[in-house]
């Protein structure tokens, strides 16, 4: 199910496929579903064609910025590119067992994808390191963050708010936004909320005809 073109398979610390391998499989599937060439996906995402080819082969090193750019270009939820965990039953996710997706200023550990009717929720353990701001040009959904320790500065479409332990913020993630650790590191819980059929422009995905 998770085989790569070269027959190789990386294994994450929890025994499942690695982030690299899951991205390779899901990226190829999403691009094929939309009928996009590597060149067109490169144009839409701003990611080089050679880098995309490596990611699809499972030999690239994806970052937060890369995954968010692909999510935006393909108009899919981030978890659609990364998720492999089984649904249902008792689910325990140990922090030490989850691969870290690293960005300019943030480390993300994907913990859980939850589906309820037409809604999708993605739960992340988020560490804002403080060495650089983490910026996003925007992606589908609503972003919720609860600060656990430290002081976090959140900027959304030119508005800035500082948050301390126990504080919560939510915003339309389609707007450009950034996270900066005022006092580092900042530990927080990040929840991304989507409609299952949502696109970046807020309209539902078109129904694909056979």
């Amino acid at each position: 199910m998770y085989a790569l073109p070269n027959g190789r398979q990386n294994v994450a610390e929890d025994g499942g496929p690695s982030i690299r391998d899951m991205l390779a499989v899901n990226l190829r599937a999403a691009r094929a579903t939309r009928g996009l060439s590597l060149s067109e996906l490169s144009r839409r995402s701003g990611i080089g064609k050679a880098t995309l080819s490596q990611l699809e082969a499972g030999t690239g090193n994806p970052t937060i910025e890369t995954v968010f750019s692909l999510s935006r270009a393909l108009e899919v939820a981030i978890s659609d590119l990364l998720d492999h965990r089984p649904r249902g039953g008792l689910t325990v996710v140990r922090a030490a067992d989850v691969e870290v997706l690293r960005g300019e200023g943030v480390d993300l550990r994907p913990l859980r994808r939850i589906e309820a009717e037409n809604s999708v929720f993605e739960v992340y353990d988020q560490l804002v390191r403080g060495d650089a701001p983490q910026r996003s040009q925007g992606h589908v959904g609503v972003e919720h963050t609860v600060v656990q320790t430290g002081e976090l500065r959140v900027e959304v479409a030119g508005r800035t708010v500082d948050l301390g332990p126990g504080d919560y913020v939510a915003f339309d993630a389609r707007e450009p936004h950034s996270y900066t650790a005022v006092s580092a590191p900042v530990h927080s819980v990040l929840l991304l909320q989507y409609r299952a059929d949502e696109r970046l422009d807020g309209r539902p995905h078109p129904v694909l005809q056979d």
Side-chain angles (χ1 to χ4, degrees):
M1 180 176 180
Y2 300 120
L4 296 175
N6 57 12
R8 180 186 52 76
Q9 183 184 58
N10 296 319
V11 178
E13 293 181 3
D14 64 356
S18 68
I19 285 178
R20 180 184 297 181
D21 281 4
M22 284 310 306
L23 179 61
V25 172
N26 293 330
L27 176 57
R28 292 199 312 272
R31 184 170 66 82
T33 297
R34 285 152 183 77
L36 299 178
S37 66
L38 278 176
S39 297
E40 177 60 17
L41 181 56
S42 176
R43 184 189 70 80
R44 294 187 183 191
S45 66
I47 300 171
K49 185 176 177 181
T51 299
L52 290 175
S53 181
Q54 291 175 343
L55 291 174
E56 289 198 358
T59 59
N61 292 305
T63 64
I64 290 175
E65 293 81 14
T66 298
V67 174
F68 273 65
S69 293
L70 291 171
S71 170
R72 180 183 177 89
L74 292 166
E75 296 178 331
V76 297
I78 295 163
S79 60
D80 285 342
L81 296 174
L82 301 178
D83 187 67
H84 74 274
R85 299 183 184 280
R87 285 31 166 201
L90 175 65
T91 301
V92 177
V93 182
R94 304 292 184 188
D97 294 337
V98 182
E99 278 191 282
V100 174
L101 186 62
R102 190 175 176 89
E104 291 181 348
V106 165
D107 290 345
L108 281 182
R109 289 180 173 84
L111 300 178
R112 182 71 168 166
R113 173 186 168 114
I114 304 167
E115 298 184 21
E117 296 182 349
N118 194 40
S119 294
V120 177
F121 301 88
E122 302 172 11
V123 185
Y124 297 87
D125 173 60
Q126 178 174 254
L127 173 68
V128 186
R129 300 190 306 271
D131 44 352
Q134 183 67 45
R135 298 183 175 88
S136 172
Q137 293 303 308
H139 50 84
V140 295
V142 176
E143 196 155 320
H144 307 259
T145 295
V146 181
V147 175
Q148 297 170 300
T149 63
E151 186 177 356
L152 179 65
R153 178 164 295 154
V154 180
E155 183 174 352
V156 182
R159 296 184 58 188
T160 301
V161 61
D162 288 349
L163 306 173
D167 290 344
Y168 160 84
V169 67
F171 55 87
D172 185 343
R174 290 173 297 179
E175 299 284 357
H177 54 275
S178 67
Y179 288 154
T180 304
V182 178
S183 60
V186 176
H187 291 269
S188 58
V189 174
L190 172 65
L191 176 70
L192 297 181
Q193 176 187 1
Y194 306 88
R195 292 197 314 274
D197 60 352
E198 189 172 12
R199 303 193 330 184
L200 185 64
D201 58 11
R203 294 185 287 113
H205 281 290
V207 175
L208 298 178
Q209 301 295 329
D210 294 333

